[in-house]
Amino acid sequence: MFICVEGLDGSGGTTQVERLRQAWAIRSPGREIVVTREPSPGPVGRLIRAALADTDIGEGVLPYLFAADRRDHLDRVVLPALARGAVVISDRYALSSLAYQSLAVGLEKVGALNADFPAPDHTLMLDLPPTDCLARIELRGGTRDRFETLARLQEIAASYEAAIGWASARGWSIARIDASGSPDDVAARVAEVIWPGC
Ligand code: TYD
């Protein structure tokens, strides 16, 4: 079972990944649950985090770095865990590349770079208006990355719609989740998708 959580920066993905891990642990005691993220903690992921902080790395380079990180992350973490029968929950995956990197190089090119990667069993898209995302980002403080301005978030929101169209047409199962309200509210909506009627 491979689940990915997606959404704009500030939409609450990291919180919901942790909530989902807790929900799985309660419902399936003893089952291995692997929580992971992209950019990954591996060598290419570390390079990407440095690149996002360094404006000298061009937007045209990022699609390749993210695709290389995804290959490494799948081979090192995701696929071995799935082979062991684990539940894998990833904070972001290929839909993020389709949304973010297509702004620089177009959906067709990003799609081609990501065509070989397996579709998750569930992609959970956390829907929250860009203004609300920015308010949450400001609340959490810290440094912003290059994607975190209102105009940029609005662009990415539109791009996510195109990305969802692209992935849906290729058989991906994508659930839209209303990400407004409290973490508990959102976690309940997520649980309804994973365990309908339970
Ligand atoms: P993020 O999950 O926000 O990491 P952190 O919580 O450490 O800031 O990811 C960093 C940024 O990378 C985020 O703005 C989304 C972006 N990103 C892409 O542009 N393409 C991708 O393929 C992925 C996985 C992330």
Side-chain angles (χ1 to χ4, degrees):
M1 172 64 73
F2 181 25
I3 302 171
C4 297
V5 176
E6 291 283 350
L8 296 177
D9 300 86
S11 61
T14 305
T15 303
Q16 290 308 317
V17 164
E18 177 54 22
R19 292 300 181 104
L20 193 52
R21 187 191 66 70
Q22 292 167 2
W24 269 104
I26 290 166
R27 286 169 193 260
S28 304
R31 185 158 185 194
E32 185 189 2
I33 302 154
V34 173
V35 166
T36 186
R37 66 193 298 206
E38 292 188 3
S40 81
V44 189
R46 289 199 298 276
L47 186 64
I48 290 173
R49 285 181 195 285
L52 290 178
D54 176 359
T55 43
D56 280 349
I57 304 274
E59 297 286 330
V61 179
L62 289 176
Y64 297 94
L65 289 181
F66 278 110
D69 183 43
R70 192 153 297 123
R71 182 74 269 158
D72 184 56
H73 184 224
L74 281 165
D75 291 347
R76 214 186 271 265
V77 178
V78 177
L79 297 177
L82 293 175
R84 294 193 301 271
V87 176
V88 178
I89 307 168
S90 184
D91 189 346
R92 299 190 178 280
Y93 181 62
L95 199 66
S96 281
S97 278
L98 293 162
Y100 287 75
Q101 276 65 60
S102 64
L103 290 172
V105 298
L107 190 51
E108 201 180 326
K109 182 154 191 177
V110 184
L113 283 172
N114 284 271
D116 286 348
F117 303 139
D121 297 291
H122 292 283
T123 296
L124 305 170
M125 175 69 197
L126 299 179
D127 284 325
L128 194 70
T131 45
D132 295 9
C133 290
L134 200 62
R136 287 187 184 177
I137 291 167
E138 275 163 3
L139 215 70
R140 117 186 138 202
T143 54
R144 292 192 192 180
D145 71 28
R146 67 173 72 175
F147 301 120
E148 296 173 346
T149 65
L150 183 59
R152 190 70 174 155
L153 289 172
Q154 284 165 337
E155 265 185 331
I156 297 161
S159 192
Y160 253 121
E161 296 304 325
I164 287 168
W166 186 96
S168 300
R170 284 157 183 79
W172 285 43
S173 167
I174 303 176
R176 309 295 294 254
I177 313 272
D178 171 4
S180 64
S182 72
D184 282 350
D185 294 339
V186 183
R189 294 176 199 130
V190 167
E192 187 52 39
V193 171
I194 308 290
W195 302 280
C198 291

